[in-house]
Amino acid sequence: MTIADRWLLPDGVEELLPKDAAKVEHLRRQLLDLYQSWGYELVIPPLLEYTESLLVGLGSDIDLQTFRVTDQLTGRMMGLRADITPQAARIDAHSLGRDGVTRLCYAGSVLHTRPKSPLASRSPIQLGAELYGDSSTDSDLEIVCLMLQTLTVAGVQNLTLDLGHVGIYESVVSGLDEATEQRYFSILQRKAAAELSSLLNELPLDDKIKQALAGLAELHGNDDVLARGRELLKAYPRAVAAIGALEELAAQVRERFPGVALYFDLAELRGYHYHTGAVFSALSSDCDRALASGGRYDDIGRVFGRARPATGFSIDLKALLALLPDCRAAASILAPNSKDADLWHKVQSLRSSGEQVVFALPGDTQVPVCDRELVFKDGDWHVVPR
């Protein structure tokens, strides 16, 4: 191993140097204060847990994304969290165990065995909010609005809200056998039109069912998608009801965030293995990937002994870095290198009042950049411009 190899970081794992760290930390504090103002309580789950509780509720994807280690005390398998959502669900269902609505928020590092997309980090800083105990569209609306407010506070512009509902897909495929449904699911995810046509030609299904299966792949775009979907899927009551729920949600979002563009994708399958209702993500024309995403995932607490309706969203603070303005350098005060007790008390008093004070050190060849300094005058220490 060469000296250069000793400081190399694994692919997709980054360190944040002072400039970027300041931007991320400033935003983290802003957003947690925002969530508190909405009634969300902060929780700080552990970085690792036993896999029995860490790898439940979010389907097979979370299993593949999780690094595993062996607990030297018990010999049991533990995982380094790849998503904080199941931890928040455990806290709601088991650690808190409250009746009624519980609102939780969190911020912390997670680790992924592989990046979720080519440009994504394998060590995101995940921040999010979860609402438990209410199954109405009102809670979906609250979470969507909080997600949009999050990006507004972050200064993200040109926002588009992408809306879908997994109930539409589930209704349409309800009559398919498992093998066929898996093929159809894969084709929809890849939007492979030629493969879809070939599959439908193979299937001994009624023409109306084939029409629904083919048409679902085309149901994405602006508001007219809802009307087209309602007409195409009128034989599927659950799908029609889901479209109605999306329409209601979209109308309320437009009232509250008139500057946000809306896009509908009725075949949205992101998180299909654990989402149970509305799914949503926020994008910006200034970025090439979704900045925040979430959805409804009812009954996630069942594995912890309490099935609870739930909806929430999360973002990766690192993904927002390129969109964040630089933090203004804090005005600071230079204190001379002195062991004078009165100087020490003066510095501590200034720091307690919110000032940044830096002591000059004898071995420092570069004097810290400060706009003011402490000087001894008339028997006391005074702050004067430099």
Side-chain angles (χ1 to χ4, degrees), residues 28 34 42 63 114 135 153 163 184 200 209 262-263 285 300 305 313-314 328 332 357 359 365 386:
R28 185 191 70 86
L34 170 69
L42 178 66
D63 187 25
R114 295 176 179 272
S135 59
V153 168
L163 289 171
Y184 181 65
L200 295 179
I209 298 177
L262 295 186
Y263 185 88
S285 58
I300 190 172
F313 78 93
S314 65
R328 187 176 62 182
S332 53
V357 186
F359 271 106
T365 58
R386 287 192 72 191

Side-chain angles (χ1 to χ4, degrees), residues 335-340 343 359-362:
N337 181 251
S338 169
K339 296 180 174 59
D340 182 84
L343 174 62
F359 271 106
L361 295 174

Side-chain angles (χ1 to χ4, degrees), residues 276-289:
T276 60
V279 290
F280 33 85
S281 58
L283 305 95
S284 169
S285 58
D286 299 327
C287 188
D288 58 0
R289 52 185 160 150

Side-chain angles (χ1 to χ4, degrees), residues 342 376-382:
D342 290 337
F376 190 75
K377 183 178 179 181
D378 298 330
D380 200 1
W381 290 98
H382 301 273

Side-chain angles (χ1 to χ4, degrees), residues 33-34 60 166 178 227 257 270 290 342 386:
D33 286 345
L34 170 69
S60 59
V166 300
E178 183 177 353
F257 293 87
R270 174 186 46 80
D342 290 337
R386 287 192 72 191

Side-chain angles (χ1 to χ4, degrees), residues 144 148 157-163 221-223 250 253-254 257-264 281-285:
V144 168
L148 294 175
Q157 299 179 345
N158 306 314
L159 281 173
T160 295
L161 176 65
D162 191 330
L163 289 171
N222 298 324
D223 291 54
V253 170
R254 276 201 174 99
F257 293 87
V260 173
L262 295 186
Y263 185 88
F264 300 92
S281 58
L283 305 95
S284 169
S285 58

Side-chain angles (χ1 to χ4, degrees), residues 210-247:
K210 289 186 177 182
Q211 185 179 7
L213 291 170
L216 182 59
E218 304 299 323
L219 292 178
H220 53 85
N222 298 324
D223 291 54
D224 67 304
V225 165
L226 300 178
R228 289 194 287 119
R230 190 178 283 107
E231 175 62 26
L232 175 69
L233 306 176
K234 58 187 176 184
Y236 299 87
R238 185 183 174 192
V240 172
I243 292 171
L246 283 183
E247 194 168 40

Side-chain angles (χ1 to χ4, degrees), residues 169-363:
Y169 170 83
E170 290 177 342
S171 178
V172 172
V173 301
S174 58
L176 301 182
D177 62 77
E178 183 177 353
T180 301
E181 190 270 329
Q182 288 179 353
R183 287 181 63 191
Y184 181 65
F185 177 85
S186 175
I187 289 170
L188 277 190
Q189 281 191 309
R190 293 180 285 110
K191 300 189 184 300
E195 286 186 49
L196 178 57
S197 177
S198 176
L199 173 63
L200 295 179
N201 287 334
E202 296 175 20
L203 298 177
L205 297 174
D206 181 273
D207 286 344
K208 289 186 177 180
I209 298 177
K210 289 186 177 182
Q211 185 179 7
L213 291 170
L216 182 59
E218 304 299 323
L219 292 178
H220 53 85
N222 298 324
D223 291 54
D224 67 304
V225 165
L226 300 178
R228 289 194 287 119
R230 190 178 283 107
E231 175 62 26
L232 175 69
L233 306 176
K234 58 187 176 184
Y236 299 87
R238 185 183 174 192
V240 172
I243 292 171
L246 283 183
E247 194 168 40
E248 178 185 347
L249 179 60
Q252 291 295 320
V253 170
R254 276 201 174 99
E255 274 193 19
R256 301 182 182 191
F257 293 87
V260 173
L262 295 186
Y263 185 88
F264 300 92
D265 188 349
L266 304 194
E268 171 58 64
L269 298 174
R270 174 186 46 80
Y272 167 69
H273 296 296
Y274 63 91
H275 280 139
T276 60
V279 290
F280 33 85
S281 58
L283 305 95
S284 169
S285 58
D286 299 327
C287 188
D288 58 0
R289 52 185 160 150
L291 297 173
S293 59
R296 177 161 290 280
Y297 51 101
D298 290 344
D299 295 340
I300 190 172
R302 185 182 302 278
V303 294
F304 303 113
R306 291 182 77 230
R308 297 263 282 167
T311 181
F313 78 93
S314 65
I315 65 171
D316 172 17
L317 291 180
K318 286 185 179 179
L320 295 176
L321 259 176
L323 305 178
L324 299 178
D326 289 338
C327 291
R328 187 176 62 182
S332 53
I333 302 169
L334 179 65
N337 181 251
S338 169
K339 296 180 174 59
D340 182 84
D342 290 337
L343 174 62
W344 168 253
H345 291 304
K346 180 69 174 181
V347 167
Q348 290 297 87
S349 175
L350 288 168
R351 287 170 173 167
S352 296
S353 68
E355 292 282 6
Q356 182 181 96
V357 186
V358 180
F359 271 106
L361 295 174

